[in-house]
Amino acid sequence: MAKIPVQFRLNGTDRAAFVDAPETLLNTLRRSLGDFAPKYGCGQGACGVCTVLIDGEPHLSCLTLSIACEGRQVETASGMASGPELHPLQAQFMEHFAAQCGFCTPGMLTAARSLLDKNPNPTRDEVIEAISGNICRCTGYEPIVAAILAAAGSPGLRRA
Amino acid sequence: MLDVRSCATLSEAAGILSGDRQAVLIGGGTLVMRDVNEGRLTEGTLLHVTDPAFRRIEAGGGRIELGAGVTMGMILANRELAFLHPAARAIGGPAVRNMASVGGNLFAPAPYGDFTVALLALDAQVVVQAGFGSGRATPLEEFLAARERSGSALVTSVQLSRPANPGDFHFRKISRVKPKGISVLSIAAHLPLTGGRVAQARLAYGAMAPTPIRARGVERALEGKSLDAGAIQAAKQAALEGCRPATDAIASEWYRREVLPVHLGRLLAGNSR
Ligand SMILES: Cc1cc2nc3c(=O)[nH]c(=O)nc-3n(C[C@H](O)[C@H](O)[C@H](O)COP(=O)(O)OP(=O)(O)OC[C@H]3O[C@@H](n4cnc5c(N)ncnc54)[C@H](O)[C@@H]3O)c2cc1C
Ligand code: FES
Ligand code: FES
C-alpha cells in the first residue's frame, strides 16, 4: 500500500512521517517518530494510556487517524519537562508516589496537564472528572489525585 | 485492504457513501477505529470529512443546527448550548468527548446513544444526504427506526428548537461507575408547562430498546396534568410501555425494567438524584 506523507508539530518540533492510510496516531508516534510516552493499552478508547493533546485538547491517539493530524499540534508526556527540569505534575507524581508500574502515567500526566492548562486551581471533583477516562490498575487513584492537586498549587505551574 | 479518503465537501462524502457499499464514514472514530484496531474492519474505505460545514454550530437563535461532526467537547464549550451540556457531559471521559460526534452518536448501538436521547426529547430533525444534491430533514424518531438501513447515507446535521424555558428540559444518565460509567439507562424529558400543566410532553429513553425510544405512555400520562404526586404515579405506571431493554455487561433486562420507573419518578419529582 502506498504510504501517505503527514506533517504535524510534535512537542513543539515539526515532524513528518509516511503512514499507512488507516494508521493511528499512536502507531505513528511509537513506530515512526520514536515517542514512546503514549502506550498501547486497550486500543478501544477505554483505558486512556494513549492520551495525547491535539491542539491542546485531550484525545485518544489509539482511535485517531494520523492523517487527520495534518498541520496540527500534538503534545505527549515526552514534551512536558523543559530540559532537565520536570513539569510540576511530573515532580508531584514522584513526590506523591503516584506511579507504581507507571503504565498509566503518561496518559494521566497528559490528562492532568490539559486540566491545569485551563484551570490552574481545580477542585478535587474537577481533578477526578479530568482523569475519569484514564484507568490505573495499581495506585487506587488517591496518590494521583493528591499529586495533581499539589501540582495545581505549585509555583512552577505558570512557568511550565 | 483498508483505505482512507479525505473529503473536502459534504456532497463528495455523500456521493461516495451512496455509490460504494464498502465506504464507512468516520466521525470522531471512537467506534469505527475500535473495529479497525480489533481487526473487524479490514476492507473498504474510511471517509474522513474536512468540510468546515460538518463541524458548524448555529445556536444563536431559536433554531439550532449542529453539524454532524460537532463533538461533545464543542457543545460543552458553547454557552448557548448550556441546556445540552448535561447530555454531552454524560458521554465518556474528556478525551472521548473531544472526539465523539453528534452524528456518530445517532448510530451508536445501545447502551450508547445518550446524546441522541436528549435530541429525541427535543423533537430534533436529522438532515440526511443520500448522493449528490441537498439534504432532507427527517424526524429523529423515524431516522432511528430505519437506522440499520440508513447505513449508506450521510447525516450532515441535526436541527432542533431551543426550549422556550431551558428549565423545562431534564436529562439524566444512570450508571453504576461514577463519573463516567456506561449507561444502565438514560432519560431525557422536555416538559413545557402552560398554566401549570404539562403541554406537549416529550420523553425519551436510552438503553431501554435497541435504539433510543420515545416514552409515549409517559407522555400520554402527563399531558394536561400538573406534575403532582398523582401524575407522577401514573407516569411511573406507564413507564415501561414499548421498552425492550437488553441484558448486557452493564445491566440485565430485569434490572433495567426495575430501576427505570424509580429514576423516572425522581426526575419528574425534581429530585436531584
Ligand atoms: C471509552 C468510551 C466511552 C463511551 N461512552 C459513551 C457514553 O457514555 N455514551 C454514549 O452515548 N456513547 C459512548 N461512547 C460511544 C461513542 O463514543 C459515542 O456514541 C460517539 O458519539 C460516537 O461518535 P463518533 O463520531 O466517535 O462515531 P464514529 O465511530 O466515527 O462512527 C460511529 C458509526 O456512525 C457512523 N457515522 C458517524 N457519523 C456519521 C454521519 N455523519 N453520517 C453517517 N454515518 C455516520 C459511522 O460510519 C459508524 O458506523 C463511548 C465510547 C468509548 C470509546
Ligand atoms: S490504548 Fe487508547 S484508550 Fe486504551
Ligand atoms: S501505576 Fe500501574 S497502572 Fe497506574
Side-chain angles (χ1 to χ4, degrees):
Chain A
M1 195 195 296
K3 297 272 186 179
I4 304 170
V6 57
Q7 293 189 40
F8 50 82
R9 252 180 120 68
L10 175 61
N11 295 321
T13 306
D14 286 322
R15 301 294 301 269
F18 286 98
V19 304
D20 291 328
E23 186 168 308
T24 62
L25 176 60
L26 179 61
N27 280 343
T28 304
L29 289 173
R30 292 181 62 87
R31 292 183 189 163
S32 306
L33 300 176
D35 188 337
F36 298 107
K39 305 282 182 278
Y40 189 96
C42 61
Q44 298 283 294
C47 73
V49 291
C50 66
T51 305
V52 302
L53 303 185
I54 301 179
D55 294 337
E57 296 291 341
H59 284 70
L60 300 165
S61 60
C62 74
L63 300 180
T64 302
L65 285 176
S66 288
I67 60 160
C69 298
E70 179 68 35
R72 302 176 76 179
Q73 305 264 356
V74 178
E75 289 162 289
T76 70
S78 309
M80 281 173 75
S82 48
E85 203 175 326
L86 294 181
H87 186 280
L89 276 165
Q90 294 172 307
Q92 293 299 341
F93 265 57
M94 286 177 64
E95 190 68 26
H96 287 79
F97 298 101
Q100 286 186 25
C101 77
F103 196 70
C104 70
T105 310
M108 286 286 183
L109 287 170
T110 310
R113 176 184 168 189
S114 144
L115 170 71
L116 297 191
D117 283 352
K118 276 176 263 174
N119 179 0
N121 286 303
T123 62
R124 188 184 160 80
D125 282 350
E126 285 166 340
V127 169
I128 290 170
E129 168 64 34
I131 59 167
S132 63
N134 299 68
I135 291 174
C136 175
R137 302 284 289 200
C138 304
T139 65
Y141 302 100
E142 273 307 315
I144 296 175
V145 173
I148 297 169
L149 284 169
S154 93
L157 185 63
R158 294 269 177 211
R159 193 163 28 88
Chain B
M1 207 166 62
L2 193 58
D3 204 359
V4 178
R5 269 184 75 170
S6 285
C7 300
T9 65
L10 286 171
S11 49
E12 184 188 345
I16 299 171
L17 269 184
S18 312
D20 176 356
R21 292 174 138 270
Q22 283 204 308
V24 177
L25 188 100
I26 171 157
T30 57
L31 296 172
V32 173
M33 292 305 289
R34 285 179 160 191
D35 287 346
V36 173
N37 288 340
E38 290 278 290
R40 280 191 298 270
L41 183 58
T42 54
E43 296 293 323
T45 307
L46 299 178
L47 300 183
H48 166 238
V49 179
T50 56
D51 191 334
F54 198 51
R55 287 164 75 90
R56 188 156 53 217
I57 295 180
E58 276 172 48
R63 284 299 289 168
I64 293 172
E65 181 149 8
L66 306 174
V70 167
T71 65
M72 302 301 145
M74 291 167 71
I75 290 169
L76 287 166
N78 189 312
R79 281 159 180 258
E80 284 166 327
L81 296 175
F83 69 101
L84 286 172
H85 288 185
R89 204 177 291 114
I91 288 164
V96 168
R97 294 199 283 271
N98 285 329
M99 304 172 70
S101 72
V102 170
N105 201 260
L106 300 174
F107 292 89
Y112 290 150
D114 295 310
F115 193 77
T116 305
V117 177
L119 292 176
L120 198 50
L122 289 162
D123 270 335
Q125 304 255 317
V126 180
V127 182
V128 179
Q129 188 171 343
F132 292 91
S134 62
R136 193 170 53 86
T138 312
L140 174 54
E141 196 178 14
E142 235 172 75
F143 170 86
L144 290 171
R147 185 168 75 174
E148 302 315 318
R149 283 178 281 121
S150 29
S152 59
L154 175 72
V155 175
T156 57
S157 66
V158 297
Q159 303 173 334
L160 57 145
S161 305
R162 179 183 301 284
N165 176 6
D168 294 339
F169 180 69
H170 312 270
F171 177 86
R172 196 162 299 192
K173 170 174 165 174
I174 288 83
S175 63
R176 304 208 219 200
V177 180
K178 308 283 183 215
K180 67 133 230 181
I182 294 166
S183 274
V184 170
L185 58 95
S186 51
I187 308 175
H190 185 209
L191 302 168
L193 298 173
T194 309
R197 292 175 186 279
V198 175
Q200 300 257 297
R202 287 286 180 277
L203 264 104
Y205 302 144
M208 291 304 293
T211 67
I213 51 166
R214 284 264 296 276
R216 299 226 181 247
V218 178
E219 291 175 0
R220 272 198 312 274
L222 294 178
E223 198 58 37
K225 307 271 168 42
S226 56
L227 278 175
D228 57 20
I232 292 173
Q233 191 52 36
K236 285 170 73 172
Q237 259 153 22
L240 290 167
E241 189 185 306
C243 290
R244 289 183 294 136
T247 291
D248 58 26
I250 308 301
S252 66
E253 172 182 2
W254 172 84
Y255 184 72
R256 288 192 161 104
R257 286 185 187 277
E258 286 295 308
V259 299
L260 170 68
V262 176
H263 288 289
L264 175 68
R266 289 181 193 167
L267 180 147
L268 294 175
N271 296 347
S272 64
R273 296 191 62 81

